[in-house]
Amino acid sequence: MTCASALHLEMPDSCQSGHYYEPTAMTCQSCPANASLVTSADVTQNIDGSPLKEVQCMKCARGFRAENNVCVKCESCVCTKSQIVVRGICVPKSYINNRPKYEENSLHPLALLDVVKHEYSCTQNDFRACRTLASECVKNFYSTDLAGPCRLWIQSKIPTPKGLPLLTVQSSLTDKYPGETNLPRGKDSLIIAAAVYTSQGGVLFLKDPSQQVSPCYLPINIQIGRDFTVERDKNSQGSLKLYISIEANYATKSQLSNTIVTTLKVIHVMPEAGVHRGLEIWGGVLGSVLALYAMVQWRGTVRRGGLYISIVPLLAGSIADTLYFATLFSTLHALAAEAGTLGLTLPLSRVEEYLIKALIYSAVSLKAFKVAWINIKQCRSDIFFLDWSEYNPPFKDACTMDKPGNWRAVTLSREWSRMQTMRRVSTGHTVILALLILHLLRPWQSYLPPSLGYKWAVATIAWWSSYTTFLLARLAWDRLVASPVKSLPKICTNVDLGETETRQALLSRFLAAFFERALDGLSWVASELTILERLLDVELTTREAGNTSILLYDPANNTPSCFAVTWWGEEWNLSTFDAMVFGSVFIALNDALLAALITVILCQAMKILRRLFGNKNQRDKTEIDFY
């Protein structure tokens, strides 16, 4: 694209010999015949034409007037009877009579006379008068009064003067689509020229210090999607229509300055990237599935003696997961669609950005309520440490620390205290790897538009990639080496029955004693969990009712059931809560390092509180001081 074809402009240094540069038209003009580019100046002369050599009293010739003992040219002195003097120039009376009456009354009478003067001079191809008139039109905010300073632009019947500048720049009428500029695929920026007319009659280009001056003197760089109004072309798939919508606001001029401060406002309206549609689909699907899952969980909780009010935190957790993952999937889908359909990736619209933030903040709030409920429930659970090798009285006050053999319960309680906040994946490890992944993705992220929604989606993918890596490593380690949860049964075996006893023998003795001492007279049926119940950790099958109690067991599960009331059994809720906290802080502050730091601090504070209240509950329920 050449300089001349971009906005139909020519620069001063492009004029050929015999041509001069006209700043108003911003083009090179040819010299009239028998004319020189060197301007001529008047010299007051004697009657015979010889220069004055001495001071003498003489009447100035016609067309001149005396000023400071010098005869200077006076154009108004030569006005004919059909002309009238308007601010120092001769204007035909017919021009004044045919001119409409000024209705706005916002101009001072003398200022209006100046407008008439410049208007008439402009019709006589006075370029400087045309430029001055254009400045007055802009200062009056493009007045629509037919007799105002914009008369030559808004009245189509008046012939357009040669030097009348354009207030709006349009492309050539010979273009296939007038008023439109086609950009090649992948190009995401336009470089345009902006200039103002100076009081001396010249043109001053507005320069952007951050941009290098090109040979075409087009100094302002405008980024598509940031400084343009953009909409999709419905008639042509994969194309965009860009509109420049600029508003100049003039401040009141101070009496102490000759400068008028202006503010340039560029309207930014982006097309939607499809986030709303994605939320409708993903929200409907995930919401239905997770709400049903929450109801099944609540059914099992109530059957095990839980409260009916537990439906509130269960639904809160399901809604939080729905909002979070629906927002993530919709944003990723929009990013993939933008990058794959067009030659450039546009940022999200302002409405979509606000919607994503609102959903993320809502999700983390609901998940925080669910996690708080889980911790409160765990810190209020009943705890029993029973040594079946000895007789235990049926009342709690009979158990004292002075009895022989209590060291076994102290050892077990100390180990149980350590395992209450044990997790499968450490938050600190996840944070470190996530920051490393984001650092490695930084060169690729530079191609993304400045959209917080897209940045949040990339940061979230980095977080879950890090978490998944450590989770798979933990599962592999537990299978190949040993799981931390296996240490508790081992301690129970050592302190109670000795190392020679097997796990089956321990379970048999425990159940026999438990049924004999605590549940005498009740009817029990052992029932194995189905495969689907094991996967979802719920009760789906309706079993025997009435006075018969059901003992559900999972023969393939090596994790003690008591771990269901520790952090080990709530890994999903805790891991999603960590991810939501990281994402919400990131999208609020736009800083991954600060988001990671706040997430780690919050998780450590929650861990300290959980262990503090969990140990207090353990001491209150068992009366064992294990410190």
Side-chain angles (χ1 to χ4, degrees):
M1 184 180 292
T2 62
C3 308
S5 62
L7 294 178
H8 308 285
L9 308 177
E10 292 178 311
M11 297 298 111
D13 56 358
S14 63
C15 296
Q16 300 178 358
S17 177
H19 293 70
Y20 68 98
Y21 184 73
E22 174 49 51
T24 300
M26 303 184 81
T27 57
C28 297
Q29 305 286 345
S30 60
C31 300
N34 300 325
S36 173
L37 292 178
V38 181
T39 58
S40 299
D42 297 331
V43 176
T44 304
Q45 301 173 336
N46 290 320
I47 297 178
D48 60 357
S50 61
L52 289 176
K53 296 182 180 180
E54 59 184 9
V55 179
Q56 57 181 341
C57 293
M58 62 174 295
K59 185 178 180 179
C60 293
R62 182 177 177 81
F64 290 84
R65 60 184 174 86
E67 183 178 332
N68 296 328
N69 294 325
V70 177
C71 292
V72 297
K73 190 174 182 180
C74 174
E75 295 182 358
S76 62
C77 298
V78 295
C79 294
T80 64
K81 293 182 179 181
S82 62
Q83 296 177 330
I84 187 174
V85 179
V86 179
R87 304 293 284 177
I89 67 170
C90 299
V91 178
K93 294 180 180 179
S94 60
Y95 186 86
I96 301 297
N97 295 332
N98 294 332
R99 197 175 188 275
K101 183 180 179 181
Y102 183 65
E103 300 290 346
E104 287 185 351
N105 297 325
S106 60
L107 288 175
H108 189 274
L110 295 180
L112 181 59
L113 291 178
D114 285 332
V115 169
V116 176
K117 168 188 173 181
H118 299 311
E119 181 183 301
Y120 176 75
S121 299
C122 181
T123 59
Q124 303 304 309
N125 295 325
D126 186 340
F127 291 123
R128 181 167 296 183
C130 293
R131 293 195 296 266
T132 306
L133 189 64
S135 178
E136 292 298 325
C137 179
V138 174
K139 289 180 181 179
N140 284 271
F141 302 102
Y142 304 94
S143 171
T144 58
D145 194 304
L146 296 179
C150 304
R151 178 170 178 254
L152 296 182
W153 286 274
I154 63 178
Q155 290 197 9
S156 58
K157 295 182 179 180
I158 301 177
T160 303
K162 181 180 179 180
L164 190 66
L166 294 176
L167 296 183
T168 58
V169 179
Q170 297 180 355
S171 60
S172 174
L173 296 179
T174 59
D175 292 345
K176 183 178 180 180
Y177 301 100
E180 296 186 4
T181 301
N182 295 325
L183 295 179
R185 184 177 180 86
K187 186 174 179 59
D188 63 348
S189 62
L190 291 176
I191 303 179
I192 66 173
V196 295
Y197 295 109
T198 64
S199 58
Q200 293 77 20
V203 178
L204 176 63
F205 282 91
L206 302 179
K207 296 183 179 181
D208 187 351
S210 63
Q211 301 293 330
Q212 296 181 354
V213 180
S214 64
C216 298
Y217 297 96
L218 305 178
I220 299 178
N221 187 21
I222 294 183
Q223 189 78 17
I224 295 176
R226 184 184 306 168
D227 307 307
F228 276 98
T229 298
V230 184
E231 70 176 22
R232 301 188 185 279
D233 189 357
K234 298 180 180 179
N235 298 325
S236 177
Q237 296 182 354
S239 63
L240 299 173
K241 283 187 176 181
L242 314 178
Y243 299 93
I244 304 177
S245 181
I246 301 177
E247 176 185 348
N249 299 321
Y250 291 82
T252 304
K253 187 180 78 67
S254 172
Q255 298 179 353
L256 303 178
S257 174
N258 295 325
T259 304
I260 299 179
V261 180
T262 62
T263 303
L264 189 65
K265 177 183 178 182
V266 181
I267 297 178
H268 174 202
V269 180
M270 292 301 302
E272 293 186 358
V275 173
H276 291 87
R277 183 60 176 169
L279 286 173
E280 293 176 359
I281 299 174
W282 284 108
V285 174
L286 293 179
S288 302
V289 174
L290 293 180
L292 180 62
Y293 179 67
M295 296 301 296
V296 175
Q297 281 185 311
W298 176 70
R299 174 178 175 270
T301 301
V302 172
R303 288 172 63 88
R304 291 192 297 268
L307 300 176
Y308 286 94
I309 196 65
S310 60
I311 186 64
V312 177
L314 290 175
L315 281 179
S318 297
I319 296 174
D321 293 341
T322 300
L323 297 178
Y324 177 76
F325 288 103
T327 304
L328 176 61
F329 296 155
S330 301
T331 306
L332 290 176
H333 182 270
L335 177 59
E338 288 289 335
T341 303
L342 303 173
L344 55 95
T345 304
L346 296 177
L348 296 171
S349 65
R350 184 177 301 177
V351 176
E352 290 174 323
E353 294 278 10
Y354 290 158
L355 179 60
I356 290 175
K357 288 184 179 180
L359 293 179
I360 293 174
Y361 297 152
S362 301
V364 73
S365 301
L366 292 173
K367 182 62 73 169
F369 174 73
K370 173 69 177 298
V371 171
W373 176 76
I374 290 174
N375 284 294
I376 293 175
K377 184 180 67 172
Q378 291 183 357
C379 292
R380 298 181 60 187
S381 60
D382 293 331
I383 300 175
F384 300 94
F385 295 131
L386 302 178
D387 185 359
W388 297 106
S389 62
E390 300 180 1
Y391 171 74
N392 292 322
F395 49 92
K396 182 175 65 174
D397 296 337
C399 180
T400 62
M401 292 299 296
D402 297 333
K403 289 183 59 178
N406 277 340
W407 62 271
R408 301 172 181 173
V410 172
T411 303
L412 184 60
S413 62
R414 184 180 294 113
E415 187 67 17
W416 175 249
S417 173
R418 184 184 68 86
M419 292 184 175
Q420 288 184 89
T421 56
M422 183 179 295
R423 289 188 55 180
R424 300 176 189 268
V425 178
S426 171
T427 304
H429 296 163
T430 304
V431 162
I432 295 175
L433 184 56
L435 291 178
L436 178 60
I437 294 175
L438 287 177
H439 178 73
L440 297 177
L441 292 177
R442 183 173 297 177
W444 176 76
Q445 293 187 66
S446 61
Y447 294 98
L448 294 179
S451 174
L452 270 179
Y454 287 153
K455 292 182 179 179
W456 168 80
V458 174
T460 303
I461 290 299
W463 176 277
W464 283 109
S465 299
S466 173
Y467 176 82
T468 304
T469 300
F470 282 110
L471 180 62
L472 294 177
R474 161 65 74 179
L475 295 177
W477 177 267
D478 292 346
R479 181 170 293 274
L480 296 177
V481 183
S483 173
V485 300
K486 295 181 179 180
S487 59
L488 188 63
K490 184 177 181 181
I491 293 176
C492 296
T493 302
N494 293 337
V495 299
D496 287 334
L497 302 177
E499 297 183 358
T500 58
E501 296 288 344
T502 62
R503 182 178 303 169
Q504 289 76 10
L506 171 63
L507 181 60
S508 299
R509 291 189 58 183
F510 173 80
L511 292 177
F514 187 71
F515 293 156
E516 178 183 357
R517 298 169 183 256
L519 303 174
D520 188 19
L522 295 180
S523 177
W524 283 84
V525 175
S527 180
E528 181 181 347
L529 290 172
T530 63
I531 297 178
L532 189 59
E533 288 176 329
R534 298 175 195 172
L535 293 176
L536 301 180
D537 191 23
V538 294
E539 297 178 27
L540 298 176
T541 305
T542 301
R543 295 176 172 87
E544 296 184 34
N547 296 326
T548 303
S549 300
I550 307 299
L551 176 63
L552 297 177
Y553 67 94
D554 180 7
N557 188 12
N558 295 324
T559 303
S561 59
C562 58
F563 273 78
V565 293
T566 66
W567 277 10
W568 189 271
E570 299 292 344
E571 183 64 27
W572 170 256
N573 290 295
L574 295 175
S575 61
T576 52
F577 177 68
D578 293 344
M580 292 178 186
V581 171
F582 175 79
S584 61
V585 177
F586 176 83
I587 203 169
L589 304 178
N590 193 19
D591 191 327
L593 182 59
L594 192 57
L597 181 61
I598 293 177
T599 303
V600 172
I601 293 176
L602 180 61
C603 292
Q604 288 299 318
M606 185 174 65
K607 182 177 181 179
I608 293 174
L609 291 176
R610 169 65 180 84
R611 179 172 293 180
L612 177 66
F613 287 102
N615 291 341
K616 182 179 182 302
N617 178 68
Q618 183 175 335
R619 290 193 300 270
D620 294 341
K621 297 296 176 59
T622 63
E623 295 187 352
I624 298 177
D625 191 0
F626 47 88
Y627 291 107

